[in-house]
Amino acid sequence: MIQKIIPTNVITGFLGVGKTSFIKALLSQKPEHEVWAVLVNEFGEIGIDAGLLGSNNAQIQIKEVAGGCMCCAAGLPMQVAINQLITKAKPDRLLIEPTGLGHPQEVLNVLMEPHYRQVLSMQSCITLVDPRKLSDTRYTDHEIFNQQLQVADLVLASKADCYEHEHIATLQDYLSANLVGKNCAVAKWSHKLSDALMPAILASMARPHYVSTVNITSATKMVAVQPKSRLLDTNYSPLFAPELATQAVEFDARGVLCKTKQADGFYSCGWVFDVNYEFDFDKLIELIKRFDVIRLKAVMITDEGIAGFNGVESELSVIELDDAMDSRIELLSMSAINREEVEAALIAASTS
């Protein structure tokens, strides 16, 4: 099978900055005749973002890699996922969203290895950042937060309707001080600005990704990875091995699966409840608001329909979703999570 090389964008940003919402906005602008694919990576082991993105459009294909940085183990999880997406979707564009705690430079290094250059055309890397976080040393002292800015071709100041203009000036100063030897475009971003900004963002996405000729922390010269007009033969590419079977969720006798993880100073705890669990929406909202965590994501089957929950510290948004195979919730904290206590509270909020 002969296929055109696929324009590819990496979209990164720290925890809760709005990457998933931004990707949904991008997908709404997809040319009608094109197929776009999205590869999502999550820190936690459960996998929820694909459900929050939820699309019934056959021309939008979404695949998830849970469990942290997908570039680990020589990039095998990402390689397999890209293989499956390309084989199934044959996309005109690929969007890759690494976890907010993933190392984006390592992801880009893998994507730009020689064998990937026969498959993907690396275009602009977009980093979302909430300028309000620049006053919090938990962010500014974090290697990954700064690396996400270092790799950016375009920086979007997200949630622009939530803060004053001086935060943009603070962001500009921070970028000037930390992006040694590199220039990148900066723009404000919010859903209210989407219609006005989207044409410029889509145009920026089509530009080649710029990479440093030396280590990213001491970059002095930047070169563009120029996309070339190439065809690839997937019958001979080493990336296109047979598709691996999707692993089924292994519930316990109660119909519950729980997975935990600790890395990079963060703790995650996630649960999957089988489809027989139905949750009381009001009790669930009350419970979620009590959780003292920095990040919460969930897709839950409730007595008022299927709901998607997206929480960042004190901010919580709820959306209505069309479908779900099960209920999933993931908590992320900078301190240990009491798994047994949270699990008991979740089960108590169910009507099953």
Side-chain angles (χ1 to χ4, degrees), residues 67-256:
C69 186
M70 60 187 166
C71 65
C72 299
L76 184 59
M78 181 165 58
Q79 177 172 298
V80 171
I82 289 173
N83 164 33
Q84 294 175 349
L85 267 178
I86 294 175
T87 302
K88 178 181 179 181
K90 302 177 179 61
D92 297 286
R93 180 169 295 276
L94 173 62
L95 306 177
I96 297 178
E97 179 196 343
T99 168
L101 291 174
H103 296 80
Q105 186 61 57
E106 294 182 17
V107 171
L108 286 162
N109 287 344
V110 171
L111 291 171
M112 291 186 291
E113 287 180 355
H115 56 277
Y116 275 100
R117 292 177 191 170
Q118 300 303 312
V119 183
L120 308 174
S121 169
M122 293 307 303
Q123 298 186 346
S124 289
C125 177
I126 300 174
T127 297
L128 281 78
V129 61
D130 184 342
R132 295 172 296 176
K133 304 301 184 184
L134 294 174
S135 61
D136 189 338
T137 55
R138 293 180 302 171
Y139 291 81
T140 55
D141 290 346
H142 205 291
E143 174 195 358
I144 295 172
F145 177 83
N146 289 296
Q147 192 180 108
Q148 289 167 347
L149 295 172
Q150 289 277 7
V151 302
D153 300 292
L154 171 64
V155 172
L156 294 180
S158 68
K159 306 181 182 181
D161 51 339
C162 298
Y163 48 80
E164 303 300 326
H165 182 73
E166 57 261 26
H167 286 90
I168 301 298
T170 301
L171 174 60
Q172 292 277 14
D173 292 342
Y174 188 84
L175 295 176
S176 297
N178 290 277
L179 298 189
V180 180
K182 180 176 181 179
N183 294 316
C184 65
V186 181
K188 295 169 65 176
W189 167 261
S190 72
H191 287 296
K192 293 180 181 178
L193 298 172
S194 178
D195 291 342
L197 277 178
M198 195 56 74
I201 290 174
L202 292 171
S204 175
M205 286 174 60
R207 296 171 186 152
H209 171 59
Y210 281 77
V211 295
S212 63
T213 55
V214 294
N215 186 280
I216 193 70
T217 58
S218 59
T220 57
K221 182 180 179 182
M222 310 302 296
V223 295
V225 179
Q226 295 290 350
K228 298 179 180 179
S229 179
R230 292 173 290 177
L231 297 175
L232 76 110
D233 187 344
T234 57
N235 292 319
Y236 294 97
S237 172
L239 294 179
F240 289 83
E243 182 169 340
L244 300 179
T246 302
Q247 190 172 7
V249 177
E250 296 181 359
F251 293 111
D252 63 17
R254 302 168 302 162
V256 179

Side-chain angles (χ1 to χ4, degrees), residues 207-350:
R207 296 171 186 152
H209 171 59
Y210 281 77
V211 295
S212 63
T213 55
V214 294
N215 186 280
I216 193 70
T217 58
S218 59
T220 57
K221 182 180 179 182
M222 310 302 296
V223 295
V225 179
Q226 295 290 350
K228 298 179 180 179
S229 179
R230 292 173 290 177
L231 297 175
L232 76 110
D233 187 344
T234 57
N235 292 319
Y236 294 97
S237 172
L239 294 179
F240 289 83
E243 182 169 340
L244 300 179
T246 302
Q247 190 172 7
V249 177
E250 296 181 359
F251 293 111
D252 63 17
R254 302 168 302 162
V256 179
L257 169 68
C258 179
K259 289 189 176 183
T260 61
K261 181 178 180 178
Q262 178 184 356
D264 296 316
F266 290 85
Y267 299 78
S268 76
C269 199
W271 290 266
V272 184
F273 298 88
D274 74 25
V275 71
N276 294 314
Y277 279 84
E278 182 178 273
F279 292 83
D280 183 298
F281 182 83
D282 293 332
K283 289 182 179 179
L284 195 57
I285 284 284
E286 182 182 348
L287 176 61
I288 286 174
K289 288 181 176 179
R290 295 205 310 264
F291 288 143
D292 184 18
V293 294
I294 64 169
R295 192 79 173 92
L296 177 147
K297 291 183 286 186
V299 172
M300 307 293 282
I301 300 171
T302 79
D303 57 346
E304 297 187 16
I306 299 169
F309 300 86
N310 205 329
V312 184
E313 295 177 337
S314 60
E315 300 174 6
L316 176 66
S317 62
V318 184
I319 60 173
E320 184 179 356
L321 299 172
D322 294 328
D323 194 19
M325 297 291 292
D326 47 42
S327 292
R328 297 176 177 234
I329 184 168
E330 187 102 46
L331 309 181
L332 186 64
S333 175
M334 297 185 76
S335 58
I337 298 170
N338 188 325
R339 168 183 169 175
E340 291 77 13
E341 180 180 310
V342 174
E343 185 172 292
L346 286 168
I347 291 175
S350 75

